[in-house]
Amino acid sequence: MASEKVTINDQGRIVIPAAMRTALGLHGGDTLLVKLDEERGVIELATPLANLRWIQNELRKRHGDDLSRWSDEFIADRRREAAREAAKLDPLEGRALD
């Protein structure tokens, strides 16, 4: 789809052209993610599903098709972090130790 020119109003709002909203199946109240790429001077809008697919593709580039291996590593890392945090708490009262 070709790019289209839009105008920013006084409140900083823009209107996404109808053809683009239709192509992506967007409706009023839907959520979009906004990303600023300062280096390129670009603002990107993405649906949460498109963003998830992008993340999955990036992980596949780095770890191959076996994403379960990556998720296992992530879960193990989170468990280690939770154990470190738990060790900082008073075991009787659940408050942080000084």
Side-chain angles (χ1 to χ4, degrees):
M1 180 172 283
S3 61
E4 292 192 36
K5 185 177 181 178
V6 297
T7 302
I8 301 172
N9 74 12
D10 292 338
Q11 290 84 31
R13 296 183 175 115
I14 63 168
V15 173
I16 299 170
M20 292 181 181
R21 293 192 314 268
T22 300
L24 293 175
L26 297 174
H27 301 92
D30 286 352
T31 299
L32 291 174
L33 302 170
V34 180
K35 179 181 175 186
L36 173 62
D37 184 333
E38 289 184 86
E39 187 175 305
R40 295 186 306 145
V42 172
I43 296 172
E44 296 176 346
L45 299 174
T47 64
L49 180 58
N51 195 57
L52 176 61
R53 288 180 179 154
W54 179 84
I55 291 169
Q56 290 171 334
N57 287 333
E58 288 298 307
L59 289 172
R60 280 188 186 94
K61 287 179 192 175
R62 296 178 194 170
H63 301 284
D65 285 329
D66 185 11
L67 295 183
S68 63
R69 190 183 105 234
W70 179 86
S71 62
D72 290 344
E73 291 174 16
F74 177 76
I75 291 167
D77 183 59
R78 295 302 304 136
R79 286 182 177 149
R80 285 189 296 274
E81 181 63 26
R84 281 193 293 274
E85 289 297 317
K88 294 179 185 177
L89 298 178
D90 183 323
L92 299 177
E93 299 181 18
R95 292 186 305 201
L97 298 172
D98 294 316

